[in-house]
Amino acid sequence: MHLKSLKANNFRNLEKISVEFSADLNIIYGDNAAGKSSFLEAITYLISARSFRSSKQSTFSNYAASSFDIFGEFSDSSRLGVMYTNKEKTKLVKLNGELVKSLVEVVNIYPVQSLSPESYHLVDSGPNERRKFLDWILFHVEHRYQKVWSDYNRMLKQRNALLRHKSAFDLQVFKTWNKQFIESAELLNSYRVKIAVELCEALALVLRELGVSFAEEIKLSYYAGYTGELADKLASSLERDRLNGTTQYGPHKADLKISVNGLFAKDVLSRGQKKVLINCLFLAQTRLLKSKTNKDSLFVIDDFSSELDEYNQMSLVKALCAQKNVQIIMSCLQPDMIKQLIKEYNSVKMFHVEHGVVKPQNVHIEN
């Protein structure tokens, strides 16, 4: 399974593009601000239904256009298209010519991992990014998880709505919903606890294989959003929850804590080390996906060499080559920077981006 081709009109500074990809390695190069990141963003937006750069869809259109559209075709003959209109703020998504009712249909077509400068949020930002990281793998490996996740968020919304009924608070009605909320929360957490353990094991293997110097010092630990029994926590915090109109404890507060020798990774690792760790986390996730589902996946890497010294670049190259189930689409300033990576693949396609224009280039591999 791989992305065969992509067409896009008026996305960011890309006026019109039409390209065909290699199933293995694809390299997009060009100067800064030429449109490389926009090209990669179009790919991830189409396949994963979200951008790795922004959530404001109205800003995705070329400044001179009122809408944009992206169309992709996959090796299994699936066809996926998305069109967004700024004035109406409407997004239409079609899969094989039929309107998509749920974006879950889109996300399940072809798992995509996005590595970009924004990926630092996985280490540096709050728990939300790390919850998304855990949920990504669960959505792909546990077909029941989507419903479990949706049910929990519905219960959370209902509990918060009841908490805000200050003058008309019905304790008996609240107890009924609260019981269902607890059951839903515990089920959701049971999935996350299991996958966190498996992810930790997969990460340890990747770190050792890549010879990461601080491999033995890294630890992942899952925090459920509470300690002890959830029912007891919710009972003790009820008055505060009513005062704030929101639920203080539960899986919506969960975190995958990343530490180095007992200290938060964000506080002790350099930017280069953080990028190495983030790369390893995504590689571990992809490996876990393959082992549990045999699914192929797409790696989109924006600015491959940024923040990595030559040794760690080569380590990542070797790890990517070992991931036989991965299609890679990456950007860099000049292809000379990744000559060694090019040598490792039989099928390589290269594209030059300049002023929003994407042109295929011949691939020259020197011995």
Side-chain angles (χ1 to χ4, degrees), residues 339-348 350 362-367:
K339 288 187 292 186
Q340 185 59 41
L341 179 59
I342 294 173
K343 293 178 182 178
E344 299 291 339
Y345 285 87
N346 294 322
S347 176
V348 181
M350 195 173 294
N362 293 325
V363 179
H364 298 288
I365 303 176
E366 298 177 0
N367 295 321

Side-chain angles (χ1 to χ4, degrees), residues 33 60 74 90 102 118 132 163 198 200 212 216-218 306 330 346 349 354:
F60 293 174
F74 300 85
T90 57
S102 170
E118 287 77 12
K132 289 179 182 177
L163 289 169
E198 294 177 307
C200 188
V212 176
E216 300 303 322
E217 302 163 9
I218 294 291
S306 173
M330 63 164 62
N346 294 322
K349 287 197 174 182
E354 186 176 14

Side-chain angles (χ1 to χ4, degrees), residues 12 72 105 174 185 191 209 218 319 325 342 355 357:
R12 298 286 192 187
E105 298 177 54
F174 180 80
Y191 281 97
E209 288 174 7
I218 294 291
N325 62 310
I342 294 173
H355 303 306
V357 177

Side-chain angles (χ1 to χ4, degrees), residues 291-342:
S291 68
K292 294 180 76 70
T293 68
N294 203 36
K295 282 185 179 179
D296 296 331
S297 55
L298 169 64
F299 247 74
V300 172
I301 308 175
D302 191 17
D303 200 359
F304 171 77
S305 58
S306 173
E307 310 290 350
L308 290 178
D309 58 28
E310 187 174 349
Y311 172 80
N312 282 309
Q313 285 182 41
M314 286 309 304
S315 295
L316 180 55
V317 164
K318 292 176 182 177
L320 289 170
C321 292
Q323 299 277 334
K324 299 300 183 183
N325 62 310
V326 171
Q327 179 185 22
I328 301 168
I329 305 177
M330 63 164 62
S331 71
C332 61
L333 287 172
Q334 292 295 332
D336 287 347
M337 302 169 69
I338 49 177
K339 288 187 292 186
Q340 185 59 41
L341 179 59
I342 294 173

Side-chain angles (χ1 to χ4, degrees), residues 44-59:
T44 56
Y45 180 77
L46 174 70
I47 302 175
S48 67
R50 65 189 182 101
S51 162
F52 61 78
R53 298 168 74 188
S54 171
S55 60
K56 296 180 179 180
Q57 298 178 97
S58 59
T59 65

